[in-house]
Amino acid sequence: MTTAVTTSRTVHRRLARLLGGAAVATVLMLQPGPASAQGQPQKPPTVEEAAAFVEAAEKELAELGIRAARAAWVRATYITHDTNLMAAETDLALQSRVVELIEASKRFNGLKLTGDTARKMEKLKLLSVLPPPGDPKLAEELSRVTTELQTLYDTGKVCDAAGTCQRLDDLEEVLRTSRDPKEMLAAWTGWHAIAPAMKPLYAREVEIANQGAREIGFKDLGALWRSNYDMAPDAFAAETDRLWGQVKPLYEALHCHVRAKLVEKYGDAAKRPDGKIPAHLLGNMWAQEWSNVYDLVAPGSADPGYDLTEILRTKGYDPVKMTRTAENFFTSLGFQPMPQTFWERSMLTRPKDREVTCHASAWDIDDKEDIRIKMCTQVTDTDFQTVHHEMGHNIYQRAYKEQPYLYRGGANDGFHEAIGDFVALSITPKYLVDLGLLEKQPAADKDLGLLMKEALRGVAFLPFGLLVDKWRWQVFSGETAPGAYNAAWWDLRGRYQGVAPPVERTEADFDPGAKSHIPGNTPYMRYFLARILQFQFHQAACQQAGDKGPLHRCSVYGNKEVGKRFNAMMEMGQSRPWPEALEAFTGTPRMDGTAMLAYFKPLKDWLDQQNKGRQCGWQ
């Protein structure tokens, strides 16, 4: 899930365990093939040699990955000058090694490879999100710039004249709770002010990484990223546009209603002649999810009669108990409990004595049982969902642990995000009754409020989930030059979200850098895909459970048959193209937004009634 608190800032699933590398990578060299004696040319490669090459590469990378993940974990949970340096050095070693292996694999180009060998060769080429060039100086510079960008974000603070400083989570709390437009604007502009220093670093990072992508056979970095979906890069871009076209009318109806209610609340502060919504008024630093304005936009008679945040606090829940509750959900489906090391090694709250990367993420350190969550958990309904989401990643990681190294990942990266999001849809009033958090379910006439809350999280996010990588694809291709970074960012946000900056922005600003996934170089399209897939998974699971009621009231908590079938899909990892994995659980090989439309149909009908007579849409 991708709320401001969770944004599911989960590390790129394969590079999460690789990031940081290992210094020994430079001495564990795999040769593409021995030259014959007396300087004679190499013999033509064989299919058997290609298979042996892949097997050896997997073994080496698996061994290096454990060291790499530990280095990355230390850096993320203990940010110092030294851990930053170690992260930069080990990242350089690993990334360079990956590129060396990709270069060595070119010897087998042209061979008619089949089965696992062919698929693994392709997966090898896609291992690096930011492939360094072969030039060691450029590779070292890329590693240094990448670390500097991440550090600028992770240590960003907004300080006043008296020296009182606020971190991102402090500023997010202002946007979450305040109803003072001036106070919200100060929080918004304060955080976005940390980003301009990133702009020259980011432009240089793109330049170097693009060279690295071209050296391993891709048009640019965007083409490399889009190649990770078992289809041609342009075909994948078209697929995302198709999915957006399916769900766009639902978003537009929500936007129209929310804008009208914000104008009622804030008057001129919310009005714009172009029909866009000022970004600081939506309760989220990036206006990517709107749950925090629920009280302003919810149906008047649809209060479900409970506040989950208040209930959790009243019942004595803390971050550990919330995490235990998430574990209980998965054990109810038949999955094994978290290992003891999970509880010993996870970071579930923000430490008071050091800088950390607070964004929630799930980790598998050794590709076996050393799985962890890193999260600065707050006792809120949002984080209650988030911890279920993050543990979903851990469950998926454990499910495919027996796959070969190059297949240890989600069927596509959207699958990994969708697992936890799918589980979050089962956090229904029925589930809360089962947990003893509610005495009884609210009446059906309260469903509109619950659907609105879910729409403000999931539907509101859709265009943002789409446009972040659309912006980067334009940057990587050269369509958007550094001198137009900010203008292109707000053009896309206006076009897709109908959202505008609350104050004038220029190219002196670098507003994309205020979003963690930009300096962190985490591909973002996964989150858009996850929103689509989570409803497909939920619909399929409810059908398997024999639930005949409304889709939004279904919870599969306690259904071991659903868990068994879900695990069968997850165990596949990346061993088969993602349409096959999708079909194994849902019965169709095609991603489809109609399950989301079915889930929200009662709300869409209500929104259409509310929007009668309103001027909807934006310029």
Side-chain angles (χ1 to χ4, degrees):
M1 48 194 307
T2 44
T3 61
V5 191
T6 76
T7 332
S8 222
R9 176 119 187 255
T10 13
V11 201
H12 182 263
R13 294 305 159 194
R14 185 176 296 109
L15 289 182
R17 58 178 184 270
L18 295 182
L19 180 63
V24 297
T26 56
V27 298
L28 293 175
M29 299 298 293
L30 274 176
Q31 300 301 325
S36 57
Q38 289 83 42
Q40 296 297 315
Q42 293 181 352
K43 294 180 180 179
T46 66
V47 171
E48 291 74 21
E49 287 174 340
F53 171 83
V54 169
E55 182 180 357
E58 285 194 292
K59 182 178 180 182
E60 178 183 358
L61 291 174
E63 292 172 353
L64 296 177
I66 296 175
R67 300 188 186 106
R70 287 176 179 153
W73 176 267
V74 171
R75 190 266 167 198
T77 59
Y78 203 102
I79 302 174
T80 69
H81 172 76
D82 292 320
T83 60
N84 280 333
L85 284 178
M86 287 188 290
E89 291 167 355
T90 53
D91 180 51
L92 172 61
L94 177 69
Q95 294 285 357
S96 297
R97 184 61 188 133
V98 168
V99 171
E100 289 169 357
L101 290 171
I102 294 171
E103 182 64 29
S105 73
K106 292 178 181 178
R107 178 170 181 255
F108 305 103
N109 288 352
L111 275 179
K112 192 172 183 179
L113 302 176
T114 60
D116 280 347
T117 302
R119 186 167 179 79
K120 287 179 180 179
M121 280 288 191
E122 183 64 22
K123 293 299 178 186
L124 176 63
K125 292 179 182 180
L126 299 169
L127 270 181
S128 181
V129 172
L130 288 179
D135 184 332
K137 290 184 179 179
L138 287 177
E140 182 178 2
E141 183 182 0
L142 178 63
S143 181
R144 175 179 54 78
V145 167
T146 299
T147 300
E148 286 182 20
L149 279 168
Q150 187 68 68
T151 300
L152 282 171
Y153 188 92
D154 289 340
T155 59
K157 297 176 184 176
V158 177
C159 301
D160 60 21
T164 302
C165 297
Q166 292 177 296
R167 293 186 176 92
L168 175 58
D169 44 356
D170 301 316
L171 299 168
E172 286 184 297
E173 183 67 10
V174 172
L175 293 179
R176 187 181 77 84
T177 60
S178 178
R179 291 294 180 257
D180 180 346
K182 292 182 179 179
E183 188 177 25
M184 290 186 283
L185 179 61
W188 191 95
T189 55
W191 179 250
H192 283 73
I194 74 158
M198 301 178 189
K199 185 174 181 179
L201 292 169
Y202 188 76
R204 181 58 177 158
E205 179 183 66
V206 169
E207 183 180 9
I208 300 173
N210 259 342
Q211 181 173 330
R214 288 190 292 268
E215 287 181 7
I216 59 176
F218 295 92
K219 180 181 176 182
D220 56 49
L221 195 59
L224 186 157
W225 287 14
R226 295 192 302 277
S227 295
N228 214 358
Y229 294 93
D230 295 305
M231 60 177 64
D234 289 346
F236 175 69
E239 177 71 355
T240 62
D241 289 338
R242 179 187 68 82
L243 293 168
W244 169 239
Q246 286 185 303
V247 297
K248 183 180 178 183
L250 176 60
Y251 176 80
E252 290 174 333
L254 181 67
H255 180 282
C256 187
H257 176 70
V258 168
R259 183 184 62 198
K261 288 298 182 180
L262 291 177
V263 170
E264 284 182 17
K265 174 67 177 177
Y266 297 115
D268 289 344
K271 286 181 181 178
R272 288 180 56 95
D274 58 11
K276 297 171 186 172
I277 300 175
H280 68 306
L281 298 179
L282 287 161
N284 175 272
M285 187 62 73
W286 308 279
Q288 67 181 53
E289 295 183 0
W290 306 344
S291 302
N292 294 325
V293 300
Y294 173 81
D295 61 308
L296 302 180
V297 306
S301 62
D303 182 355
Y306 68 91
D307 180 335
L308 182 54
T309 295
E310 183 61 30
I311 291 172
L312 291 169
R313 293 172 179 174
T314 300
K315 296 281 189 179
Y317 275 67
D318 58 18
V320 173
K321 189 171 182 179
M322 289 168 66
T323 309
R324 290 283 187 186
T325 303
E327 178 189 45
N328 174 67
F329 185 97
F330 287 101
T331 57
S332 83
L333 298 181
F335 294 100
Q336 293 298 308
M338 292 292 104
Q340 181 59 33
T341 54
F342 172 91
W343 303 104
E344 296 168 351
R345 300 169 187 173
S346 289
M347 187 192 86
L348 300 179
T349 57
R350 178 193 280 276
K352 296 181 179 179
D353 60 344
R354 62 186 189 270
E355 295 282 359
V356 299
T357 301
C358 238
H359 215 106
S361 56
W363 296 63
D364 59 335
I365 301 296
D366 64 355
D367 288 327
K368 295 297 180 184
E369 286 296 314
D370 192 352
I371 48 183
R372 312 176 188 181
I373 286 176
K374 176 186 62 59
M375 180 174 169
C376 298
T377 315
Q378 303 290 321
V379 182
T380 65
D381 57 353
T382 299
D383 276 14
F384 188 69
Q385 286 191 326
T386 300
V387 74
H388 283 73
H389 169 94
E390 297 302 340
M391 191 166 288
H393 286 303
N394 288 147
I395 294 295
Y396 203 172
Q397 290 160 344
R398 182 190 259 176
Y400 55 62
K401 68 180 181 180
E402 300 304 327
Q403 288 288 349
Y405 177 81
L406 289 170
Y407 292 160
R408 292 175 198 157
N412 67 40
D413 55 9
F415 274 64
H416 232 304
E417 296 301 328
I419 299 300
D421 288 342
F422 148 65
V423 168
L425 294 180
S426 279
I427 302 178
T428 61
K430 179 180 183 301
Y431 174 58
L432 300 179
V433 170
D434 290 340
L435 294 181
L437 291 173
L438 289 179
E439 292 184 2
K440 62 179 182 179
Q441 295 187 58
D445 62 359
K446 302 298 185 182
D447 286 357
L448 279 177
L450 297 173
L451 284 168
M452 175 63 81
K453 183 166 287 189
E454 183 62 35
L456 293 172
R457 185 192 72 85
V459 177
F461 175 78
L462 289 166
F464 188 81
L466 187 72
L467 69 87
V468 171
D469 275 356
K470 280 188 173 289
W471 178 82
R472 283 192 283 202
W473 295 347
Q474 293 178 3
V475 168
F476 296 155
S477 72
E479 179 183 345
T480 297
Y485 277 177
N486 223 46
W489 175 253
W490 284 108
D491 175 68
L492 287 169
R493 295 197 65 183
R495 190 189 322 167
Y496 285 96
Q497 280 188 290
V499 165
V503 293
E504 183 180 357
R505 311 306 283 170
T506 71
E507 290 306 321
D509 301 302
F510 183 53
D511 294 329
K515 177 61 183 168
S516 60
H517 297 69
I518 301 296
N521 293 297
T522 304
Y524 208 75
M525 196 59 73
R526 63 185 63 179
Y527 302 114
F528 172 75
L529 299 179
R531 283 293 188 269
I532 302 296
L533 287 167
Q534 76 171 114
F535 290 95
Q536 273 193 270
F537 291 160
H538 183 64
Q539 186 178 61
C542 292
Q543 289 170 350
Q544 293 164 19
D547 192 295
K548 304 298 183 182
L551 194 56
H552 62 272
R553 284 202 150 219
C554 170
S555 175
V556 297
Y557 175 67
N559 193 305
K560 289 184 168 52
E561 182 59 30
V562 169
K564 181 179 178 181
R565 295 180 64 169
F566 203 56
N567 189 61
M569 180 190 75
M570 293 192 294
E571 284 179 337
M572 296 169 70
Q574 292 187 332
S575 64
R576 303 299 302 162
W578 65 261
E580 294 184 25
L582 181 63
E583 188 170 20
F585 186 67
T586 67
T588 176
R590 197 179 199 199
M591 291 185 286
D592 187 8
T594 59
M596 172 181 271
L597 300 181
Y599 184 95
F600 286 108
K601 187 180 186 305
L603 179 66
K604 176 62 161 57
D605 292 342
W606 181 84
L607 288 170
D608 289 343
Q609 288 293 322
Q610 299 303 304
N611 290 332
K612 285 183 177 179
R614 291 171 174 167
Q615 184 65 43
C616 295
W618 58 89
Q619 297 175 13

